[in-house]
Amino acid sequence: MVNKFYFKKTVKFFALIVFGIFISCNLLAQSKGYVEVIGKVQQHGKALEGASVKVYKGNEPIDDILTNNAGRIILNLDFNYVYTLVFSKKGAITKSIVFDTKIPDEYKDVFFSNQPFRIDLLSIPDDSIQINIPDKPVAKYAFNPSIDDFDFDQKYSSARKDEFEVLKKDIEAARAKARQDSIADARAQASALSRAAVLEKARQDSIKRAQALADKLEAQEKARLAALEKSQRDSIAKAQADS
């Protein structure tokens, strides 16, 4: 005779297994692939914290995040869209990257993770320099069927790098000019202060000379009056003696 308690436990156990398989299959059926984007923003080789990363899906802005203290960002992008990531920070060059996530249908449930990229936001002496920066992304990522993965267009990135090398030289020239202008201004201010100091010293010397002359004339006048007074007293004394 079958133990009813054992039978109930066995049925419950198998029911749980079947339910678990059902849930797992359902989740797998609902799984959806995406592209994980990992990047690092830096400035002159050092991690740049607090840089803004605006995310556009087509022409629609969908997110705006800040880099962490290591300058890192991680984003999950849906398939079959063109995303633009715009990196910016005050006092630095603004750059962008394009991710085209279109893929063949057979890869729609696959998870991809790009090789972490690095983007350098050069500091600039004047925000007006932004108007001279070509309005093009610095890199373009897309699915490469020859490697069955996402990759960047090396030829395009190389051309953009050459453009930024020219821009980098222009920025350095602008910095050098700003330094020279600053030095020239400092020298002009120092020269103006020096002239003012010379004029002030001449004024003080003139006052001292005038005061010395006034003191001398006053002393001479006192001596003349004293001599005159003495002469008068002597004259009076002599007159009294003769009478």
Side-chain angles (χ1 to χ4, degrees):
M1 184 175 180
V2 179
N3 186 307
K4 291 184 178 180
F5 178 73
Y6 175 77
F7 178 75
K8 287 181 179 180
K9 286 188 67 176
T10 302
V11 171
K12 186 177 181 181
F13 174 72
F14 278 106
L16 288 172
I17 291 176
V18 172
F19 181 73
I21 293 172
F22 172 78
I23 292 296
S24 298
C25 291
N26 191 44
L27 287 175
L28 286 173
Q30 294 178 357
S31 66
K32 182 181 179 183
Y34 59 89
V35 184
E36 181 184 62
V37 174
I38 304 172
K40 181 177 181 180
V41 182
Q42 56 189 31
Q43 190 171 79
H44 306 303
K46 296 182 180 179
L48 185 60
E49 181 180 4
S52 169
V53 184
K54 290 184 171 62
V55 184
Y56 293 83
K57 193 174 187 178
N59 294 322
E60 180 186 357
I62 61 170
D63 206 353
D64 189 352
I65 61 177
L66 298 177
T67 54
N68 63 16
N69 58 0
R72 284 168 58 87
I73 60 161
I74 299 178
L75 298 168
N76 295 332
L77 306 181
D78 295 331
F79 288 143
N80 298 319
Y81 291 97
V82 177
Y83 291 87
T84 302
L85 278 53
V86 180
F87 303 83
S88 64
K89 189 163 187 179
K90 185 172 178 57
I93 280 180
T94 297
K95 292 183 178 180
S96 64
I97 291 178
V98 167
F99 274 86
D100 185 343
T101 63
K102 290 191 288 290
I103 58 164
D105 287 343
E106 60 265 31
Y107 293 98
K108 66 180 181 179
D109 295 327
V110 178
F111 161 77
F112 293 93
S113 182
N114 76 297
Q115 287 293 323
F117 64 82
R118 289 182 298 179
I119 186 163
D120 196 348
L121 300 187
L122 299 173
S123 61
I124 51 178
D126 186 350
D127 284 339
S128 64
I129 289 176
Q130 294 284 1
I131 62 175
N132 298 321
I133 300 173
D135 188 19
K136 304 176 191 173
V138 296
K140 292 180 177 180
Y141 283 81
F143 184 78
N144 186 343
S146 65
I147 61 173
D148 291 333
D149 203 349
F150 283 85
D151 197 11
F152 69 98
D153 186 331
Q154 296 186 17
K155 186 176 180 180
Y156 175 86
S157 293
S158 178
R160 295 292 289 118
K161 184 178 179 181
D162 291 342
E163 289 178 10
F164 271 95
E165 284 300 319
V166 173
L167 181 61
K168 191 175 180 179
K169 290 179 181 178
D170 291 342
I171 290 173
E172 288 303 321
R175 280 204 185 97
K177 184 178 184 304
R179 284 194 296 269
Q180 292 300 323
D181 290 346
S182 178
I183 291 171
D185 288 345
R187 286 176 176 170
Q189 290 178 9
S191 179
L193 289 173
S194 178
R195 287 196 300 272
V198 169
L199 291 173
E200 178 61 19
K201 185 177 184 304
R203 189 178 73 84
Q204 293 295 334
D205 290 345
S206 177
I207 291 172
K208 288 179 181 178
R209 286 194 298 271
Q211 186 63 47
L213 179 60
D215 292 344
K216 181 179 179 181
L217 292 174
E218 183 180 3
Q220 289 176 345
E221 181 63 15
K222 285 181 178 179
R224 187 184 70 78
L225 291 175
L228 179 60
E229 184 180 357
K230 183 176 181 302
S231 175
Q232 289 176 347
R233 285 199 305 270
D234 291 345
S235 178
I236 292 170
K238 182 178 180 183
Q240 288 176 349
D242 290 341
S243 62

